Coordinates of all heavy atoms in Angstrom, one line a residue:
M116 N -2.7 7.3 -1.8 CA -3.7 6.5 -1.1 C -5.1 6.8 -1.7 O -5.9 6.0 -2.0 CB -3.6 6.7 0.4 CG -4.4 5.8 1.1 SD -3.5 4.1 1.1 CE -4.1 3.5 2.6
A117 N -5.4 8.2 -1.7 CA -6.8 8.5 -2.1 C -6.9 8.1 -3.7 O -8.0 7.7 -4.0 CB -6.9 10.0 -2.1
Q118 N -5.9 8.1 -4.4 CA -6.0 7.7 -5.8 C -6.3 6.2 -5.8 O -7.1 5.8 -6.7 CB -4.7 8.0 -6.5 CG -4.8 7.8 -8.0 CD -3.5 8.1 -8.8 OE1 -2.4 8.2 -8.1 NE2 -3.6 8.5 -10.0
K119 N -5.8 5.4 -5.1 CA -5.9 3.9 -5.1 C -7.4 3.7 -4.6 O -8.1 2.8 -5.2 CB -5.0 3.3 -4.1 CG -5.2 1.8 -4.1 CD -4.1 1.1 -3.1 CE -4.4 -0.4 -3.1 NZ -3.5 -1.0 -2.1
A120 N -7.9 4.5 -3.6 CA -9.2 4.3 -3.1 C -10.3 4.6 -4.4 O -11.2 4.0 -4.6 CB -9.6 5.1 -2.0
R121 N -10.0 5.7 -5.0 CA -10.9 6.1 -6.3 C -10.8 5.0 -7.3 O -11.8 4.7 -8.0 CB -10.5 7.3 -6.8 CG -10.8 8.5 -6.0 CD -10.7 9.9 -6.8 NE -9.2 10.1 -7.0 CZ -8.5 11.0 -6.5 NH1 -9.0 11.7 -5.4 NH2 -7.2 11.0 -6.9
R122 N -9.8 4.4 -7.6 CA -9.6 3.5 -8.7 C -10.3 2.2 -8.2 O -11.0 1.6 -9.1 CB -8.1 3.1 -8.9 CG -8.0 2.1 -10.1 CD -6.4 1.7 -10.5 NE -6.0 0.8 -9.4 CZ -4.9 0.9 -8.7 NH1 -4.2 2.1 -8.8 NH2 -4.6 0.0 -7.9
Q123 N -10.2 1.8 -6.9 CA -11.1 0.7 -6.4 C -12.5 0.9 -6.6 O -13.3 0.1 -6.9 CB -10.6 0.3 -5.0 CG -9.3 -0.4 -4.9 CD -8.9 -0.5 -3.5 OE1 -9.3 0.1 -2.6 NE2 -7.9 -1.6 -3.3
E124 N -13.0 2.2 -6.2 CA -14.3 2.5 -6.2 C -14.8 2.5 -7.7 O -15.9 1.9 -8.0 CB -14.5 4.0 -5.7 CG -15.9 4.4 -5.7 CD -16.2 5.8 -5.1 OE1 -15.5 6.1 -4.0 OE2 -16.8 6.6 -5.6
A125 N -14.0 3.0 -8.7 CA -14.3 2.8 -10.2 C -14.5 1.3 -10.6 O -15.5 1.1 -11.3 CB -13.3 3.7 -11.0
E126 N -13.5 0.5 -10.1 CA -13.6 -0.8 -10.6 C -14.9 -1.5 -10.0 O -15.5 -2.3 -10.7 CB -12.3 -1.5 -10.1 CG -11.1 -1.2 -10.8 CD -9.8 -1.7 -10.2 OE1 -9.9 -2.4 -9.1 OE2 -8.8 -1.6 -10.8
M127 N -15.2 -1.2 -8.8 CA -16.5 -1.7 -8.2 C -17.7 -1.2 -9.0 O -18.5 -2.1 -9.2 CB -16.7 -1.4 -6.7 CG -15.6 -2.1 -5.8 SD -15.8 -1.9 -4.0 CE -16.7 -0.4 -3.8
T128 N -17.7 0.0 -9.4 CA -18.9 0.5 -10.1 C -18.9 -0.1 -11.4 O -20.0 -0.6 -11.9 CB -18.6 2.0 -10.4 OG1 -18.4 2.7 -9.1 CG2 -19.8 2.6 -11.1
I129 N -17.8 -0.4 -12.1 CA -17.8 -1.1 -13.4 C -18.3 -2.5 -13.2 O -19.2 -3.0 -14.1 CB -16.4 -1.1 -14.0 CG1 -16.0 0.3 -14.5 CG2 -16.4 -2.1 -15.2 CD1 -14.7 0.5 -14.9
D130 N -17.8 -3.2 -12.3 CA -18.3 -4.5 -11.9 C -19.8 -4.5 -11.7 O -20.6 -5.5 -12.1 CB -17.6 -5.2 -10.8 CG -16.2 -5.6 -11.1 OD1 -15.8 -5.7 -12.3 OD2 -15.3 -5.7 -10.1
Q131 N -20.2 -3.5 -10.9 CA -21.7 -3.5 -10.5 C -22.5 -3.3 -11.8 O -23.6 -3.9 -12.0 CB -21.9 -2.4 -9.5 CG -23.3 -2.4 -9.0 CD -23.3 -1.2 -7.9 OE1 -22.5 -0.3 -7.9 NE2 -24.3 -1.4 -6.9
V132 N -22.1 -2.5 -12.6 CA -22.8 -2.1 -13.9 C -22.9 -3.5 -14.7 O -23.9 -3.8 -15.4 CB -22.2 -1.0 -14.8 CG1 -22.7 -0.9 -16.1 CG2 -22.4 0.3 -14.0
N133 N -21.8 -4.1 -14.9 CA -21.6 -5.4 -15.6 C -22.6 -6.4 -15.1 O -23.4 -7.1 -15.8 CB -20.3 -6.0 -15.8 CG -19.3 -5.2 -16.7 OD1 -19.9 -4.4 -17.5 ND2 -18.1 -5.3 -16.5
Y134 N -22.7 -6.5 -13.8 CA -23.6 -7.6 -13.1 C -25.0 -7.1 -13.3 O -25.9 -7.9 -13.7 CB -23.2 -7.6 -11.5 CG -24.3 -8.4 -11.0 CD1 -24.3 -9.8 -11.0 CD2 -25.5 -7.8 -10.2 CE1 -25.3 -10.5 -10.4 CE2 -26.3 -8.5 -9.6 CZ -26.3 -10.0 -9.7 OH -27.3 -10.7 -9.1
E135 N -25.3 -5.8 -13.2 CA -26.7 -5.4 -13.3 C -27.1 -5.6 -14.9 O -28.3 -6.0 -15.1 CB -26.9 -3.9 -12.9 CG -26.7 -3.8 -11.4 CD -26.7 -2.3 -10.9 OE1 -26.7 -1.4 -11.9 OE2 -26.6 -2.2 -9.7
S136 N -26.2 -5.3 -15.8 CA -26.7 -5.5 -17.1 C -26.9 -6.9 -17.4 O -27.8 -7.3 -18.0 CB -25.4 -5.0 -18.1 OG -25.7 -5.2 -19.4
T137 N -26.0 -7.8 -17.0 CA -26.2 -9.2 -17.2 C -27.4 -9.8 -16.4 O -28.2 -10.5 -17.1 CB -25.0 -10.0 -16.5 OG1 -23.8 -9.4 -17.2 CG2 -25.1 -11.6 -16.8
A138 N -27.7 -9.2 -15.3 CA -28.9 -9.6 -14.6 C -30.1 -9.3 -15.3 O -31.1 -10.0 -15.3 CB -29.0 -9.1 -13.2
T139 N -30.2 -8.1 -15.8 CA -31.3 -7.5 -16.6 C -31.6 -8.3 -17.9 O -32.7 -8.8 -18.1 CB -31.2 -6.2 -17.0 OG1 -30.9 -5.3 -15.7 CG2 -32.3 -5.4 -17.7
Q140 N -30.5 -8.8 -18.5 CA -30.5 -9.5 -19.8 C -31.1 -10.9 -19.4 O -32.0 -11.3 -20.2 CB -29.1 -9.7 -20.5 CG -28.7 -8.4 -21.1 CD -27.3 -8.6 -21.7 OE1 -26.6 -9.6 -21.5 NE2 -26.9 -7.7 -22.5
H141 N -30.6 -11.5 -18.3 CA -31.2 -12.7 -17.9 C -32.6 -12.7 -17.6 O -33.4 -13.5 -18.0 CB -30.4 -13.0 -16.5 CG -30.7 -14.4 -15.9 ND1 -30.0 -15.5 -16.2 CD2 -31.7 -14.7 -15.1 CE1 -30.5 -16.6 -15.5 NE2 -31.6 -16.1 -14.8
E142 N -33.0 -11.7 -16.9 CA -34.5 -11.5 -16.6 C -35.3 -11.2 -17.9 O -36.4 -11.8 -18.0 CB -34.7 -10.3 -15.7 CG -34.2 -10.5 -14.2 CD -34.0 -9.3 -13.4 OE1 -34.4 -8.1 -13.9 OE2 -33.4 -9.4 -12.3
R143 N -34.7 -10.4 -18.8 CA -35.6 -10.2 -20.0 C -35.8 -11.4 -20.8 O -36.8 -11.7 -21.3 CB -35.0 -9.1 -20.7 CG -35.1 -7.7 -20.2 CD -34.4 -6.6 -20.8 NE -34.6 -5.4 -20.2 CZ -34.0 -4.2 -20.5 NH1 -33.2 -4.3 -21.6 NH2 -34.2 -3.1 -20.0
V144 N -34.6 -12.2 -20.9 CA -34.7 -13.5 -21.7 C -35.7 -14.4 -21.0 O -36.4 -15.0 -21.8 CB -33.3 -14.1 -21.9 CG1 -33.4 -15.4 -22.4 CG2 -32.5 -13.2 -22.8
R145 N -35.6 -14.6 -19.8 CA -36.5 -15.5 -19.1 C -37.9 -15.1 -19.3 O -38.7 -16.0 -19.6 CB -36.2 -15.5 -17.6 CG -37.1 -16.4 -16.8 CD -36.9 -16.4 -15.2 NE -37.0 -15.1 -14.7 CZ -36.3 -14.4 -13.9 NH1 -35.1 -14.9 -13.7 NH2 -36.5 -13.2 -13.5
E146 N -38.2 -13.9 -19.1 CA -39.6 -13.4 -19.4 C -40.0 -13.5 -20.8 O -41.1 -13.9 -21.1 CB -39.7 -11.9 -19.0 CG -39.7 -11.6 -17.4 CD -40.5 -12.5 -16.7 OE1 -41.8 -12.5 -17.0 OE2 -40.1 -13.1 -15.7
H147 N -39.2 -13.3 -21.7 CA -39.5 -13.5 -23.2 C -39.8 -15.0 -23.4 O -40.8 -15.2 -24.1 CB -38.2 -13.1 -24.0 CG -38.4 -13.2 -25.4 ND1 -38.7 -12.1 -26.1 CD2 -38.4 -14.2 -26.3 CE1 -38.8 -12.5 -27.5 NE2 -38.7 -13.8 -27.6
L148 N -39.0 -16.0 -22.9 CA -39.3 -17.2 -23.1 C -40.5 -17.8 -22.4 O -41.4 -18.5 -22.9 CB -38.0 -18.1 -22.6 CG -36.7 -17.9 -23.6 CD1 -35.6 -18.7 -22.9 CD2 -37.0 -18.4 -25.0
L149 N -40.7 -17.3 -21.2 CA -41.8 -17.8 -20.4 C -43.2 -17.2 -20.9 O -44.3 -17.7 -20.6 CB -41.7 -17.3 -19.0 CG -40.7 -18.0 -18.1 CD1 -40.6 -17.5 -16.7 CD2 -41.1 -19.6 -18.1
S150 N -43.1 -16.1 -21.7 CA -44.3 -15.6 -22.4 C -44.8 -16.4 -23.6 O -45.7 -16.0 -24.3 CB -44.1 -14.2 -22.9 OG -43.2 -14.2 -24.0
G151 N -44.0 -17.5 -23.9 CA -44.4 -18.4 -25.0 C -43.6 -18.2 -26.3 O -43.9 -18.7 -27.3
Q152 N -42.8 -17.1 -26.2 CA -42.0 -16.7 -27.5 C -40.8 -17.5 -27.6 O -40.2 -18.0 -26.6 CB -41.8 -15.2 -27.5 CG -43.1 -14.4 -27.4 CD -42.8 -12.9 -27.5 OE1 -42.3 -12.4 -28.4 NE2 -42.8 -12.3 -26.2
S153 N -40.3 -17.7 -28.8 CA -39.0 -18.3 -29.0 C -37.9 -17.2 -29.3 O -38.3 -16.1 -29.4 CB -39.0 -19.2 -30.1 OG -39.2 -18.5 -31.4
L154 N -36.6 -17.5 -29.2 CA -35.7 -16.6 -29.3 C -34.3 -17.1 -30.0 O -34.0 -18.2 -29.5 CB -35.2 -16.1 -27.9 CG -34.5 -14.8 -27.8 CD1 -35.1 -13.6 -28.4 CD2 -34.2 -14.6 -26.2
T155 N -33.7 -16.4 -30.9 CA -32.5 -16.9 -31.4 C -31.4 -15.8 -31.0 O -31.8 -14.8 -30.4 CB -32.5 -16.7 -33.1 OG1 -32.7 -15.3 -33.3 CG2 -33.6 -17.5 -33.6
Q156 N -30.2 -16.2 -31.2 CA -29.1 -15.2 -30.9 C -29.1 -13.9 -31.4 O -29.0 -12.8 -30.9 CB -27.6 -15.9 -31.1 CG -26.5 -15.0 -30.8 CD -26.5 -14.7 -29.3 OE1 -26.2 -15.6 -28.5 NE2 -26.4 -13.4 -29.0
L157 N -29.5 -13.8 -32.6 CA -29.7 -12.5 -33.3 C -30.8 -11.7 -32.8 O -30.6 -10.5 -32.5 CB -29.8 -12.8 -34.8 CG -29.8 -11.5 -35.7 CD1 -28.5 -10.7 -35.5 CD2 -30.0 -11.9 -37.2
E158 N -31.9 -12.4 -32.5 CA -33.1 -11.6 -31.9 C -32.6 -11.2 -30.5 O -33.0 -10.1 -30.1 CB -34.3 -12.7 -31.7 CG -34.8 -12.9 -33.1 CD -35.9 -14.1 -33.2 OE1 -35.8 -14.8 -32.2 OE2 -36.5 -14.3 -34.1
A159 N -31.9 -12.0 -29.7 CA -31.5 -11.6 -28.4 C -30.6 -10.4 -28.4 O -30.7 -9.5 -27.6 CB -30.8 -12.9 -27.6
L160 N -29.6 -10.4 -29.5 CA -28.9 -9.3 -29.6 C -29.6 -8.0 -29.9 O -29.3 -6.9 -29.3 CB -27.8 -9.6 -30.7 CG -26.8 -8.5 -30.9 CD1 -26.0 -8.2 -29.8 CD2 -25.9 -8.9 -32.1
R161 N -30.4 -8.1 -30.9 CA -31.3 -6.9 -31.2 C -32.2 -6.4 -30.2 O -32.3 -5.2 -30.1 CB -32.0 -7.3 -32.6 CG -31.2 -7.5 -33.7 CD -32.1 -7.7 -34.8 NE -31.2 -7.8 -36.2 CZ -31.6 -8.5 -37.2 NH1 -32.7 -9.1 -37.2 NH2 -30.8 -8.5 -38.3
L162 N -32.9 -7.3 -29.4 CA -33.9 -6.9 -28.4 C -33.3 -6.6 -27.2 O -33.7 -5.6 -26.5 CB -34.9 -8.1 -28.2 CG -35.8 -8.5 -29.4 CD1 -36.4 -9.8 -29.1 CD2 -36.8 -7.3 -29.7
Y163 N -32.1 -7.3 -26.7 CA -31.8 -7.1 -25.4 C -30.2 -6.7 -25.2 O -29.7 -6.7 -24.1 CB -32.1 -8.3 -24.5 CG -33.4 -8.7 -24.6 CD1 -33.8 -10.0 -25.2 CD2 -34.5 -7.9 -24.3 CE1 -35.1 -10.4 -25.1 CE2 -35.9 -8.3 -24.4 CZ -36.1 -9.5 -24.9 OH -37.4 -9.9 -24.9
G164 N -29.6 -6.7 -26.4 CA -28.1 -6.5 -26.4 C -27.3 -7.6 -25.8 O -26.2 -7.5 -25.2
C165 N -27.9 -8.8 -25.8 CA -27.4 -10.0 -25.3 C -26.3 -10.8 -26.3 O -26.9 -11.3 -27.3 CB -28.5 -11.0 -24.8 SG -27.9 -12.5 -24.3
L166 N -25.2 -10.8 -26.0 CA -24.1 -11.5 -26.8 C -23.9 -13.0 -26.6 O -23.4 -13.6 -27.4 CB -22.8 -10.8 -26.7 CG -22.6 -9.3 -27.2 CD1 -21.4 -8.8 -26.8 CD2 -22.9 -9.2 -28.7
R167 N -24.5 -13.3 -25.4 CA -24.2 -14.7 -25.0 C -25.6 -15.5 -24.5 O -25.7 -15.8 -23.5 CB -23.1 -14.8 -23.8 CG -21.8 -14.2 -24.2 CD -20.7 -14.4 -23.2 NE -20.5 -15.7 -23.1 CZ -20.3 -16.4 -21.8 NH1 -20.5 -15.7 -20.7 NH2 -20.1 -17.7 -21.8
L168 N -26.4 -15.6 -25.4 CA -27.7 -16.2 -25.2 C -27.5 -17.6 -24.7 O -28.2 -17.9 -23.8 CB -28.6 -16.1 -26.3 CG -30.0 -16.8 -26.2 CD1 -30.7 -16.2 -25.2 CD2 -30.7 -16.8 -27.6
A169 N -26.6 -18.4 -25.3 CA -26.5 -19.6 -24.9 C -26.1 -19.9 -23.4 O -26.5 -20.6 -22.6 CB -25.4 -20.5 -25.7
A170 N -25.2 -18.9 -22.8 CA -24.9 -18.9 -21.4 C -26.1 -18.6 -20.6 O -26.3 -19.2 -19.5 CB -23.7 -17.9 -21.2
I171 N -26.9 -17.7 -21.0 CA -28.2 -17.3 -20.3 C -29.1 -18.5 -20.3 O -29.6 -18.9 -19.2 CB -28.8 -16.2 -20.8 CG1 -27.9 -14.9 -20.5 CG2 -30.2 -15.9 -20.2 CD1 -28.5 -13.6 -21.2
V172 N -29.2 -19.3 -21.4 CA -30.1 -20.5 -21.4 C -29.6 -21.5 -20.6 O -30.3 -22.2 -19.8 CB -30.2 -20.9 -22.9 CG1 -30.8 -22.2 -23.0 CG2 -31.1 -19.8 -23.7
F173 N -28.3 -21.7 -20.4 CA -27.7 -22.7 -19.6 C -28.1 -22.4 -18.2 O -28.5 -23.3 -17.4 CB -26.1 -22.6 -19.9 CG -25.4 -23.6 -18.9 CD1 -25.4 -25.0 -19.3 CD2 -24.7 -23.2 -17.7 CE1 -24.8 -25.8 -18.4 CE2 -24.2 -24.0 -16.9 CZ -24.1 -25.4 -17.3
R174 N -27.9 -21.2 -17.8 CA -28.3 -20.8 -16.4 C -29.7 -21.0 -16.1 O -30.1 -21.4 -15.0 CB -27.8 -19.4 -16.0 CG -26.4 -19.2 -15.9 CD -25.9 -17.9 -15.4 NE -26.5 -16.7 -16.1 CZ -25.8 -16.0 -17.0 NH1 -24.5 -16.2 -17.0 NH2 -26.3 -15.0 -17.7
L175 N -30.6 -20.7 -17.2 CA -31.9 -20.8 -16.8 C -32.4 -22.3 -16.7 O -33.2 -22.7 -15.9 CB -32.8 -20.2 -18.0 CG -32.8 -18.7 -18.1 CD1 -33.5 -18.3 -19.4 CD2 -33.6 -18.1 -16.9
R176 N -31.7 -23.2 -17.5 CA -31.8 -24.6 -17.3 C -31.3 -25.1 -16.1 O -32.1 -26.0 -15.3 CB -31.0 -25.4 -18.5 CG -31.8 -25.2 -19.8 CD -30.9 -25.8 -20.9 NE -31.6 -25.9 -22.1 CZ -31.0 -25.9 -23.3 NH1 -29.7 -25.9 -23.4 NH2 -31.5 -25.9 -24.5
K177 N -30.1 -24.8 -15.7 CA -29.5 -25.5 -14.5 C -29.9 -24.9 -13.2 O -30.1 -25.5 -12.2 CB -28.0 -25.3 -14.7 CG -27.4 -26.0 -15.8 CD -27.7 -27.6 -15.7 CE -27.1 -28.3 -16.9 NZ -27.4 -29.7 -17.0
R178 N -30.0 -23.6 -13.1 CA -30.3 -22.8 -11.9 C -31.8 -22.6 -11.6 O -32.2 -22.8 -10.4 CB -29.6 -21.5 -11.8 CG -28.1 -21.5 -11.7 CD -27.5 -20.2 -11.6 NE -26.0 -20.4 -11.8 CZ -25.3 -19.3 -11.9 NH1 -25.8 -18.0 -12.0 NH2 -23.9 -19.4 -12.0
E179 N -32.5 -22.5 -12.6 CA -34.0 -22.4 -12.4 C -34.8 -23.5 -12.9 O -36.0 -23.5 -12.7 CB -34.4 -21.0 -13.2 CG -33.7 -19.9 -12.7 CD -34.1 -18.5 -13.2 OE1 -35.2 -18.5 -13.6 OE2 -33.4 -17.6 -13.1
G180 N -34.2 -24.4 -13.5 CA -34.9 -25.6 -13.8 C -35.9 -25.5 -15.0 O -36.8 -26.3 -15.1
L181 N -35.7 -24.6 -15.8 CA -36.7 -24.3 -16.8 C -36.4 -25.3 -18.0 O -35.3 -25.7 -18.3 CB -36.6 -22.9 -17.6 CG -36.9 -21.8 -16.6 CD1 -36.7 -20.4 -17.5 CD2 -38.4 -21.9 -16.3
N182 N -37.5 -25.9 -18.5 CA -37.3 -26.9 -19.6 C -37.3 -26.2 -20.9 O -38.3 -26.0 -21.6 CB -38.5 -27.8 -19.5 CG -38.3 -29.0 -20.6 OD1 -37.2 -29.2 -21.2 ND2 -39.5 -29.7 -20.8
I183 N -36.1 -25.7 -21.2 CA -35.8 -25.0 -22.5 C -35.2 -25.9 -23.6 O -34.2 -26.5 -23.2 CB -34.8 -23.7 -22.3 CG1 -35.5 -22.8 -21.2 CG2 -34.6 -23.0 -23.6 CD1 -34.6 -21.8 -20.8
V184 N -35.9 -25.9 -24.6 CA -35.3 -26.8 -25.9 C -34.8 -25.9 -26.9 O -35.2 -24.7 -27.1 CB -36.4 -27.7 -26.4 CG1 -37.0 -28.7 -25.3 CG2 -37.6 -27.0 -26.9
S185 N -33.8 -26.5 -27.6 CA -33.3 -25.6 -28.8 C -33.6 -26.4 -30.1 O -33.4 -27.7 -30.1 CB -31.8 -25.4 -28.6 OG -31.1 -26.7 -28.5
D186 N -34.1 -25.8 -31.0 CA -34.5 -26.2 -32.3 C -33.4 -25.7 -33.4 O -33.2 -24.5 -33.3 CB -35.8 -25.9 -32.8 CG -36.9 -26.3 -31.8 OD1 -36.8 -27.6 -31.4 OD2 -37.8 -25.6 -31.5
T187 N -32.9 -26.4 -34.2 CA -31.8 -25.9 -35.0 C -32.5 -25.6 -36.4 O -33.2 -26.3 -37.0 CB -30.7 -27.1 -35.4 OG1 -30.1 -27.5 -34.2 CG2 -29.7 -26.6 -36.3
E188 N -32.1 -24.4 -36.8 CA -32.7 -23.9 -38.1 C -31.5 -23.6 -39.0 O -30.4 -23.5 -38.5 CB -33.4 -22.5 -37.7 CG -34.6 -22.7 -36.9 CD -35.4 -21.4 -36.7 OE1 -35.0 -20.3 -37.1 OE2 -36.5 -21.4 -36.1
S189 N -31.7 -23.6 -40.3 CA -30.7 -23.3 -41.3 C -31.3 -22.6 -42.4 O -32.5 -22.5 -42.7 CB -30.1 -24.7 -41.6 OG -31.1 -25.5 -42.3
A190 N -30.4 -22.1 -43.3 CA -30.6 -21.3 -44.3 C -29.3 -21.3 -45.3 O -28.3 -21.4 -44.7 CB -31.1 -19.9 -44.1
E191 N -29.6 -21.2 -46.6 CA -28.6 -21.1 -47.6 C -28.2 -19.6 -47.7 O -29.0 -18.7 -47.6 CB -28.9 -21.7 -48.9 CG -29.0 -23.2 -48.8 CD -27.7 -23.9 -48.6 OE1 -26.7 -23.5 -49.1 OE2 -27.8 -25.0 -48.1
S192 N -26.9 -19.2 -47.8 CA -26.4 -18.0 -48.0 C -25.2 -18.1 -49.1 O -25.0 -19.1 -49.5 CB -25.9 -17.4 -46.8 OG -24.6 -17.9 -46.4
A193 N -24.8 -17.0 -49.5 CA -23.7 -16.9 -50.5 C -22.5 -17.6 -50.0 O -21.7 -18.2 -50.7 CB -23.3 -15.5 -50.8
E194 N -22.2 -17.7 -48.7 CA -21.2 -18.3 -48.1 C -21.3 -19.8 -47.9 O -20.5 -20.5 -47.5 CB -20.7 -17.6 -46.7 CG -20.2 -16.3 -46.8 CD -21.3 -15.2 -46.9 OE1 -22.4 -15.5 -46.3 OE2 -21.2 -14.2 -47.6
G195 N -22.5 -20.3 -48.1 CA -22.9 -21.7 -47.8 C -24.1 -21.8 -46.8 O -24.8 -20.8 -46.4
A196 N -24.3 -23.0 -46.2 CA -25.4 -23.2 -45.3 C -25.0 -22.6 -43.9 O -23.8 -22.7 -43.5 CB -25.5 -24.8 -45.2
K197 N -26.0 -22.0 -43.4 CA -25.7 -21.4 -42.0 C -26.7 -22.1 -41.1 O -27.9 -22.4 -41.3 CB -26.1 -19.9 -42.1 CG -25.2 -19.2 -42.9 CD -23.8 -19.2 -42.5 CE -23.0 -18.2 -43.4 NZ -21.7 -18.3 -43.1
Q198 N -26.3 -22.4 -39.8 CA -27.1 -23.0 -38.8 C -27.2 -22.2 -37.5 O -26.3 -21.6 -37.2 CB -26.8 -24.5 -38.5 CG -27.1 -25.4 -39.7 CD -26.6 -26.8 -39.2 OE1 -25.9 -27.1 -38.3 NE2 -27.2 -27.8 -39.9
W199 N -28.3 -22.2 -36.8 CA -28.4 -21.4 -35.6 C -29.5 -22.1 -34.8 O -30.3 -22.9 -35.2 CB -28.6 -20.0 -35.8 CG -30.0 -19.7 -36.4 CD1 -31.2 -19.6 -35.9 CD2 -30.1 -19.6 -37.8 NE1 -32.2 -19.3 -36.8 CE2 -31.7 -19.4 -38.2 CE3 -29.4 -19.8 -39.0 CZ2 -32.1 -19.3 -39.3 CZ3 -29.9 -19.6 -40.3 CH2 -31.4 -19.4 -40.4
A200 N -29.5 -21.8 -33.5 CA -30.5 -22.5 -32.5 C -31.6 -21.4 -32.2 O -31.3 -20.2 -32.2 CB -29.8 -22.9 -31.2
R201 N -32.7 -21.9 -32.2 CA -33.9 -21.1 -31.8 C -34.4 -21.8 -30.3 O -34.8 -23.0 -30.3 CB -35.0 -21.3 -32.8 CG -36.4 -20.5 -32.2 CD -37.3 -20.3 -33.3 NE -36.8 -19.5 -34.3 CZ -36.8 -18.2 -34.4 NH1 -37.3 -17.5 -33.3 NH2 -36.5 -17.5 -35.5
Y202 N -34.4 -21.0 -29.3 CA -34.7 -21.6 -28.0 C -36.1 -21.1 -27.6 O -36.7 -20.2 -28.0 CB -33.9 -20.9 -27.0 CG -32.4 -21.2 -27.1 CD1 -31.5 -20.3 -27.7 CD2 -31.8 -22.4 -26.7 CE1 -30.2 -20.5 -27.9 CE2 -30.5 -22.5 -26.7 CZ -29.5 -21.7 -27.5 OH -28.3 -21.9 -27.6
R203 N -36.9 -22.3 -26.9 CA -38.1 -22.0 -26.5 C -38.3 -22.9 -25.3 O -37.6 -23.8 -25.0 CB -39.2 -22.4 -27.5 CG -39.1 -23.9 -28.1 CD -39.9 -24.2 -29.2 NE -39.7 -25.5 -29.7 CZ -40.2 -26.6 -29.1 NH1 -40.9 -26.7 -28.0 NH2 -39.9 -27.9 -29.5
V204 N -39.5 -22.4 -24.5 CA -39.8 -23.3 -23.4 C -40.7 -24.4 -23.8 O -41.7 -24.1 -24.5 CB -40.4 -22.4 -22.3 CG1 -41.0 -23.4 -21.1 CG2 -39.6 -21.4 -21.7
A205 N -40.4 -25.6 -23.5 CA -41.4 -26.8 -23.9 C -42.6 -26.8 -23.1 O -42.6 -26.4 -22.0 CB -40.4 -28.1 -23.7

């Protein structure tokens, strides 16, 4: 019984850490964009450890009503043309 309680407590702690990490990323991305700066997925990964920038942008648009636009950028590489989105507040 005690082992089951410890396991449940550990699972709650992991969920809480994941939520807090996501919330922090969300807040940092919001502040970044509201400061007038733009952001790409690679920049978000480097700056905030954010692997799912598009999901955060979606939430900022839908839940907070921010007018975030995405501009498509591209570059040539050895593997061919690469494209990515750069997000900014309009």
Side-chain angles (χ1 to χ4, degrees):
M116 192 67 154
Q118 187 176 24
K119 183 178 179 182
R121 280 193 300 257
R122 188 176 77 234
Q123 287 175 337
E124 183 178 315
E126 288 172 357
M127 287 185 343
T128 303
I129 290 170
D130 289 342
Q131 189 176 27
V132 168
N133 288 339
Y134 172 77
E135 289 171 1
S136 174
T137 302
T139 302
Q140 288 174 350
H141 180 95
E142 292 164 4
R143 290 180 179 173
V144 168
R145 181 181 63 232
E146 293 304 315
H147 184 99
L148 293 172
L149 288 175
S150 73
Q152 300 177 73
S153 62
L154 193 61
T155 66
Q156 175 61 59
L157 186 57
E158 292 166 345
L160 178 60
R161 288 180 177 158
L162 293 170
Y163 311 119
C165 176
L166 293 173
R167 300 187 63 226
L168 178 60
I171 291 174
V172 168
F173 178 83
R174 287 193 302 255
L175 289 171
R176 285 174 174 157
K177 297 297 179 185
R178 294 184 184 167
E179 298 186 24
L181 292 180
N182 185 14
I183 300 173
V184 296
S185 59
D186 301 312
T187 302
E188 297 184 353
S189 61
E191 290 292 326
S192 71
E194 294 85 28
K197 303 290 180 185
Q198 290 187 335
W199 60 91
R201 177 172 295 278
Y202 299 99
R203 62 183 172 80
V204 174

